[in-house]
């Protein structure tokens, strides 16, 4: 008996999984940024938003599980394809030129892992910093301690320190580069293809990647420029404990 | 008429399991109007007279249409001139780039074992076609050719895909040695025509499965293939194949069998 | 040897139908018991193998390329004729038949030609059903054009790649059968010998080009569809590997070779640029619709920049000599006149190759661009201009194209009867490899038609008839002495080529020399004196070849391209000699065979009284003394006339 062909055991199927999970992650990134822009509305709004996110545990955990799943699927299929692609060319060219590949496409296998580390760092910085560092100095930085009920200050005070800003900026740039190829690639892999609109796919990829990069960079820039400052208000949000 | 001496580093390999290595030769008095392969002919004639093993390379029509020739020239599949097979590459273009040292390598892919030197076995591409790259029509049972009008834009677009010469440059140029462009060209050519509708979704499933079974890499949407393709086949066809494939896998009510060595 | 054409009689339009109705068949369940060998995977071989496989026969198909899709049919550009009359311009099967017989200068067999015209209808249907993307009009129906001066638009085309698209259609049908298990494909296998057992073709000996292994394949019937022998000229529009080995080996085993001297020279090819040139590239004849052909009037102007040659110093020789047809005279007339102005009058243009007159004439689009605008000209010929520029580095919009005639097609081939069977029982020949349908000259766009008619519709049927008639063949084992002898003879031949006594030159060296002789004396125009000279030169050169050819022996058991070439050149030597013998014997001019002694007003003058026959040559063991047999031709429907283009 021969096995029937399944979607996931084909290369195109795996690419489709990458594209679909990438799409989920992209959606998250967009939502995440638009929520965070509340920082510019003020500490209270920002912290209130953070609190609200935690008020519906089902939604929160649902989203977390979905994201975790998307990340795993994204990484899993990327890894399998990477392995396969490596095996598909066992002997390398002595002279290797690329004519069409842009920087972003060439570096997907680097920007991906960088993003992974960045996300872990980012979570440590803003989600489970308290768990990691307790009352002590975050990332070993004197005078920068976790404030349980004040995500706003956790963010702003972090960005006052280069050791936090630099990995963040690197991560955000890697994200932009990853998305620049990823978004276009997503259209291609899912076959979103129409002769009339095909040229828009590149434009959309450039636009969205740029928007997300600049949006995310706006926080450290605003902090460094002194536009966003730590707040002296105190909050008490049991949901965040 | 310009002539020049060139240093050639040529990949020499006795067989699929042998270890290959570069050997260096001088091509003397290369004329600018020669084709790249004529330069090699000339060198080979000299090698034979000197009692040395001539360089093996594939070629036949020398008109850019049969798809036999295949050399990676200084890192470019078919050489640096766009939309040009290596048999149609003329030395004046090589001179214009100022190259005096040239590396000649075979198509490198696990699915294309080296037969000798620059000659590889591209049987995998034939097997992809065998798996479904046809319209099943018995000889003599066709109806009148003009019975089904086909809108010109569709027919023209199908033609764009049908111009593939099966050379495998797309595989050679792809960072993942993927045969997606080749496969997509045939899937799209037949899938767009009214005659090809009946088998459209099974065809794409079988051909993709075979493509995978041959050990080609996956498409990571870099677009190298499109640039190397001597017929300028567009990667839009790959998107078209992907869509047909996913659609077929998701909606089809019956299974197709995976080829034996599919992953 | 007796030449029986086995033509049916009766009204010509019923002959094929009647023939089919009264032929023997093989029952479906019996077909797989028969082993069929098809050598060649071009239009003829690919179509035949696919169709025979589909019928249920057990088929083995061989080609020397790495894939059947690369057969040289792929290179045909212009189009394929069919008497569909889709344009409503008065075309019919009869008219296509008539044009083909006349075009062949009354040297073809009427029954065959009629069948060809008839089957042309089915070919187009078949190809379209396979997905061949022929050109279409805006209304979605198939487009046609007029080709080679035909008075009707009956040529179907697919951009400039008609052969490619048709071959890919046949190839896909073939691959489908390979998948179904009815056809086993042997790419990179070259046929080097035919096995004849008790008077019947029963198999072949091949060399596996990858590992050098020499093998026997036995069968009940053998089909040769191995293309033309134009490469006997060394330079031609054929592929580098095109060869005569398969047909020549069959000839040596008893198959008569018909009309070897009938070759076609195409007027619009890109001229040579130097001695190193390996092949010639055809430019579509359609260019002559808008281009004007000229050379300088004064030999001193020949190496001048053409733009600097004033109008009055340009010699538009076709327009002056043939006011009625001008640049659109038929292929052979255009070709010959180019040769006259270059070789006899010394007015040729282009690069000077040492020891040769300049061979090239201008094909100028300036006046067409002035008259019609560059856009329209580019729309018509853009892809051809691009191709020309890629090869020569010149832009035809700025400087006139250079063209010169080149060998393009060989009408001669193995003699076959109406069933396409040669003089050896069980050996069938299709496509360009046989001599059948084009007489002394082939019309443009008719070779693709013939290859596919033979492959899809004639051979599958006549092979069945043959097998149905003989019923059972004697079992033949590979160990049979006949097979082993054939195998040994091939091994010995290969050994001999690799161990010449005084190896000094690569095979190309001899091939070039042979080509020069044939081109000079047996090319566009021939005369008795020259042909005798050619024979005198070929014989010693052939001996020198076997004495001095250098092929590296140590790696004979592997991929060895020099060895492949040497074997092909060896056979070209013998065939080249036969061509000259045939050309000398045919003491008349007809079609592509132009004997300068026989002209009327500078045109070919036939001698129907003495030469209205097919010259079929039998191998006698001595390449210099073949035996001539004649098949007389009769013309019941199209009465022979003289052509005139004045
Ligand atoms: C440049 C060019 C343009 C042309 N344009 C047109 C046109 O527009 N219209 C038209 O009607 N005709 C045209 N012709 C002519 C036409 O293309 C050919 O006559 C026709 O395609 C021949 O088909 P075939 O099947 O007989 O042979 P081919 O297609 O030549 O196939 C020969 C096959 O035999 C195999 N073979 C040969 N020798 C051996 C051997 N010893 N052992 C094993 N296998 C062997 C080869 O591998 C190949 O598969 C053109 C020809 C050329 C060269
Ligand atoms: S798609 Fe282009 S590069 Fe790939 S095989 Fe076809 S012609 Fe060659
Ligand atoms: S030799 Fe035929 S395409 Fe290059």
């Amino acid at each position: 008996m021969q096995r029937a062909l399944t979607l996931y055991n084909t290369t195109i199927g795996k690419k489709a999984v990458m594209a679909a999970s990438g799409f989920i992650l992209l959606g998250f990134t967009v939502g995440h940024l638009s929520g965070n822009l509340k920082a510019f509305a003020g500490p209270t709004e920002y912290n209130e938003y953070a609190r609200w996110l935690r008020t519906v545990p089902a939604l929160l955990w649902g989203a977390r599980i979905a994201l975790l799943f998307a990340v795993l699927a994204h990484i899993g299929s990327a890894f399998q394809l990477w392995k396969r692609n490596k095996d598909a060319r066992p002997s390398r060219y002595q002279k290797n030129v690329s004519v069409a590949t842009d920087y972003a496409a060439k570096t997907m296998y680097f920007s991906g892992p960088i993003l992974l580390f960045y996300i872990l760092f980012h979570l440590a910085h803003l989600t489970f910093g308290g768990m990691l560092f307790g009352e002590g100095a975050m990332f070993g930085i004197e005078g920068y301690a976790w404030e349980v009920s004040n995500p706003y200050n956790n963010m702003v005070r972090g960005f006052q320190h280069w050791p936090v800003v630099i990995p963040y900026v690197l991560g955000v740039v890697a994200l932009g580069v990853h998305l620049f190829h990823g978004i276009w690639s997503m259209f291609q892999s899912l076959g979103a293809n129409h002769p009339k609109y095909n040229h828009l796919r590149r434009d959309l990829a450039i636009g969205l990647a740029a928007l997300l990069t600049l949006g995310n960079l706006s926080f450290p820039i605003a902090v460094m420029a002194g536009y966003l400052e730590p707040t002296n208000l105190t909050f008490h949000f049991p949901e965040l404990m | 008429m310009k002539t020049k001496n060139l240093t050639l580093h040529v990949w020499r390999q006795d067989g699929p399991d042998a270890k290959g290595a570069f050997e260096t030769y001088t091509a003397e008095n290369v004329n600018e109007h020669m084709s790249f392969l004529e330069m090699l002919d000339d060198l080979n004639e000299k090698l034979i007279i000197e009692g040395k093993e001539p360089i093996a390379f594939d070629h036949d029509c020398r008109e850019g249409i049969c798809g036999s020739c295949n050399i990676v020239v200084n890192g470019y599949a078919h050489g640096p001139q766009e939309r040009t097979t290596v048999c149609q590459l003329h030395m004046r273009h090589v001179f214009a780039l100022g190259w005096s040292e040239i590396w000649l390598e075979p198509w490198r892919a696990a699915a294309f074992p080296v037969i000798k030197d620059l000659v590889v076995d591209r049987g995998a591409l034939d097997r992809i076609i065998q798996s479904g790259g046809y319209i099943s029509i018995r000889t003599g049972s066709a109806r009148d050719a003009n019975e089904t009008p086909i809108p010109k834009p569709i027919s023209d677009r199908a033609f764009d895909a049908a111009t593939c010469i099966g050379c495998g440059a797309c595989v050679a140029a792809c960072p993942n040695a993927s045969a997606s462009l080749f496969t997509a060209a045939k899937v799209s050519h037949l899938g767009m025509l009214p005659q090809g509708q009946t088998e459209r979704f099974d065809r794409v499933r079988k051909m993709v499965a075979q493509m995978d079974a041959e050990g080609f890499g996956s498409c990571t949407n870099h677009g190298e293939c499109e640039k190397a393709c001597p017929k300028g086949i567009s990667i839009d066809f790959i998107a078209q194949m992907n869509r047909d494939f996913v659609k077929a896998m998701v909606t089809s009510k019956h299974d197709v069998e995976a080829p034996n060595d599919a992953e | 040897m007796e030449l029986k054409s086995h033509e049916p009689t009766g009204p010509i339009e019923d002959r094929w139908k009647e023939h089919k109705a009264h032929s023997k068949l093989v029952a479906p369940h019996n077909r797989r018991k028969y082993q069929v060998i098809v050598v060649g995977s071009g239009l003829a071989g690919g179509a035949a193998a696919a169709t025979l496989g589909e019928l249920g026969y057990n088929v083995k198909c061989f080609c020397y390329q790495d894939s059947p899709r690369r057969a040289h049919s792929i290179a045909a550009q212009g189009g394929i004729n069919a008497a569909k009359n889709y344009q409503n311009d008065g075309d019919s099967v009869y008219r296509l038949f008539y044009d083909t017989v006349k075009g062949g200068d009354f040297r073809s067999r009427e029954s065959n030609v009629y069948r060809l015209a008839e089957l042309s209808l089915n070919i187009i249907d078949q190809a379209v059903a396979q997905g061949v993307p022929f050109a279409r009009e805006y209304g979605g129906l198939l487009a046609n054009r007029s080709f080679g001066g035909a008075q009707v638009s009956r040529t179907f085309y697919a951009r400039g790649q008609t052969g490619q698209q048709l071959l890919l259609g046949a190839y896909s049908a073939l691959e489908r059968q390979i998948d179904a298990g009815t056809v086993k494909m042997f790419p990179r296998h070259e046929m080097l010998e035919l096995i004849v057992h008790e008077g019947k073709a029963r198999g072949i000996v091949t060399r596996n080009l990858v590992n050098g292994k020499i093998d026997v394949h036995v069968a009940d019937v053998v089909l040769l569809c191995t293309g033309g022998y134009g490469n006997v000229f060394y330079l031609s529009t054929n592929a580098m590997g095109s060869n005569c080995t398969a047909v020549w080996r069959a000839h040596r085993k008893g198959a008569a070779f018909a009309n070897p001297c009938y070759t076609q020279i195409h007027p619009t090819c890109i001229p040579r640029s130097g001695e190193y040139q390996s092949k010639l590239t055809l430019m579509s004849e359609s260019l002559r619709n808008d281009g004007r052909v000229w050379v300088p009037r004064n030999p001193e102007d020949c190496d001048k920049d053409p733009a600097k040659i004033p109008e009055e110093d340009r010699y538009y020789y076709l327009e002056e000599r043939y006011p009625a047809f001008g640049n659109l005279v038929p292929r052979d007339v255009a070709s010959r006149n180019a040769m006259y102005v270059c070789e006899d009058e010394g007015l040729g243009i282009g690069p000077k190759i040492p020891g040769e007159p300049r061979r090239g004439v201008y094909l100028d689009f300036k006046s067409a661009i002035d008259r019609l605008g560059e856009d329209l000209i580019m729309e018509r010929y853009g892809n051809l201009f691009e191709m020309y520029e890629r090869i020569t580095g010149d832009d035809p919009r700025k400087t006139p194209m250079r063209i010169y005639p080149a060998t393009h097609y060989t009408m001669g081939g193995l003699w076959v009867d109406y069933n396409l069977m040669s003089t050896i029982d069980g050996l069938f020949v299709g496509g360009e490899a046989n001599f059948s349908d084009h007489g002394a000259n082939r019309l443009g766009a008719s070779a693709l038609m013939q290859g596919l008619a033979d492959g899809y519709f004639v051979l599958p049927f006549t092979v069945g008839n043959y097998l149905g008639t003989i019923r059972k063949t004697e079992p033949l084992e590979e160990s049979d002495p006949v097979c082993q002898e054939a195998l040994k003879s091939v091994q010995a031949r290969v050994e001999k080529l690799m161990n010449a006594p005084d190896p000094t030159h690569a095979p190309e060296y001899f091939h070039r020399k042979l080509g020069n002789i044939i081109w000079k004396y047996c090319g566009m125009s021939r005369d008795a004196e020259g042909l005798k000279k050619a024979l005198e030169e070929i014989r010693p050169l052939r001996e020198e070849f076997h004495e001095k050819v250098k092929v590296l022996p140590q790696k004979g058991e592997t991929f060895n391209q020099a060895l492949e070439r040497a074997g092909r050149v060896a056979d070209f030597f013998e065939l080249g000699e036969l061509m000259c013998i045939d050309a000398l014997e045919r003491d008349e001019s007809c079609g592509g065979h132009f004997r300068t002694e026989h002209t009327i007003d500078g045109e070919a003058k036939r001698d129907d009284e003495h030469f209205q026959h097919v010259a079929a040559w039998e191998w006698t063991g001595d390449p210099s003394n073949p035996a001539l047999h004649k098949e007389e031709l009769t013309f019941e429907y199209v009465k022979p006339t003289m052509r005139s283009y004045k």
Side-chain angles (χ1 to χ4, degrees), chain C residues 352-371:
Chain C
K352 181 95 184 97
I353 299 174
E356 293 178 19
R358 283 181 211 272
R359 293 187 174 121
V361 300
Y362 289 123
L363 180 63
D364 200 336
F365 290 87
K366 178 142 189 336
S367 60
I369 290 176
D370 291 346
R371 187 161 39 92

Side-chain angles (χ1 to χ4, degrees), chain B residues 63, chain C residues 39-44 62-65 71-73 75-79 189-191 225-227 237-238 243 246 282 408-409 431-432 442 445-448:
Chain B
E63 292 189 19
Chain C
V39 188
S41 64
L43 289 182
F62 298 80
C63 72
Y64 70 76
Q65 294 93 344
H72 199 52
S73 294
Q77 303 172 350
H189 275 67
E190 185 164 22
M191 164 180 166
C225 304
T226 50
T237 62
N238 280 5
N243 67 86
L282 176 90
H408 179 56
Y409 186 86
E432 195 173 336
R442 173 176 73 77
S446 283
L448 300 180

Side-chain angles (χ1 to χ4, degrees), chain B residues 64-155:
Chain B
I65 192 75
C66 74
S68 292
C69 59
N70 53 338
I71 303 177
V72 175
V73 180
N74 265 0
Y76 296 87
H78 279 312
Q81 198 182 359
E82 266 194 34
R83 285 187 171 234
T84 304
T85 53
V86 70
C87 63
Q88 290 276 281
L89 175 67
H90 281 69
M91 295 313 291
R92 68 183 84 85
H93 290 279
V94 176
F95 289 4
L97 292 167
W99 290 351
S100 52
E101 208 172 350
I102 302 178
W103 297 78
L104 282 76
E105 301 180 64
W107 279 182
R108 293 194 195 272
F112 290 166
V114 171
I115 289 176
K116 189 174 181 183
D117 303 343
L118 303 171
V119 177
V120 299
D121 179 354
R122 286 169 288 188
L125 300 183
D126 285 325
R127 290 189 291 274
I128 292 176
I129 300 294
Q130 272 157 38
S131 69
Y134 45 74
I135 291 172
S136 301
I137 172 78
R138 198 172 298 116
T139 304
S141 63
R143 20 177 227 178
D144 187 84
N146 252 351
E147 222 166 87
T148 314
I150 303 175
K152 189 165 156 55
I154 293 187
S155 157

Side-chain angles (χ1 to χ4, degrees), chain C residues 38-162:
Chain C
V38 180
V39 188
S41 64
L43 289 182
T51 305
L52 285 160
E54 189 177 78
L55 285 169
Y57 294 103
N58 213 334
V59 181
K60 284 184 179 178
C61 182
F62 298 80
C63 72
Y64 70 76
Q65 294 93 344
D66 69 330
S67 161
R69 69 181 291 152
R70 309 203 199 285
H72 199 52
S73 294
I74 201 104
Q77 303 172 350
I80 176 167
N81 288 331
K84 280 282 194 186
N85 194 28
Y86 282 158
Q87 305 304 321
N88 192 29
D89 54 3
D91 199 12
S92 63
V93 168
Y94 190 85
R95 194 175 287 275
L96 176 55
F97 155 70
Y98 177 90
D99 288 353
T100 306
V101 172
K102 189 159 168 251
D105 220 1
F106 304 94
R107 292 293 175 266
S108 49
R109 204 186 277 146
E110 276 191 332
S111 306
N112 284 54
V113 178
Y114 194 90
R115 174 177 66 190
L116 176 65
E118 214 176 330
L119 292 174
S120 71
L121 306 176
N122 308 39
I123 294 171
I124 302 301
D125 300 342
Q126 181 69 24
V128 166
Q130 287 169 341
V132 171
F134 284 123
R136 287 178 185 267
E137 298 163 352
Y138 273 96
L141 298 177
L142 293 162
N144 291 109
R145 62 182 169 205
S146 156
F147 202 74
Q151 287 170 308
V152 290
S153 287
R154 62 160 76 100
T155 305
F156 293 77
Y157 60 101
R159 293 190 194 157
Q161 306 153 21
T162 317

Side-chain angles (χ1 to χ4, degrees), chain B residues 203-245:
Chain B
R203 176 185 305 123
V204 69
R205 291 204 284 173
K206 291 190 206 157
M207 290 179 72
V208 167
Q210 189 64 38
M211 169 179 92
D212 284 354
E214 296 291 348
F216 291 106
S218 82
C219 176
T220 47
N221 307 315
H222 286 203
E224 289 294 335
C225 52
E226 175 182 74
K227 288 281 181 222
C229 174
K231 298 293 143 185
I233 293 183
S234 161
I235 50 174
D236 289 353
F237 291 123
I238 298 183
Q240 203 166 321
M241 166 174 78
N242 291 345
R243 181 171 55 193
D244 268 15
F245 180 73

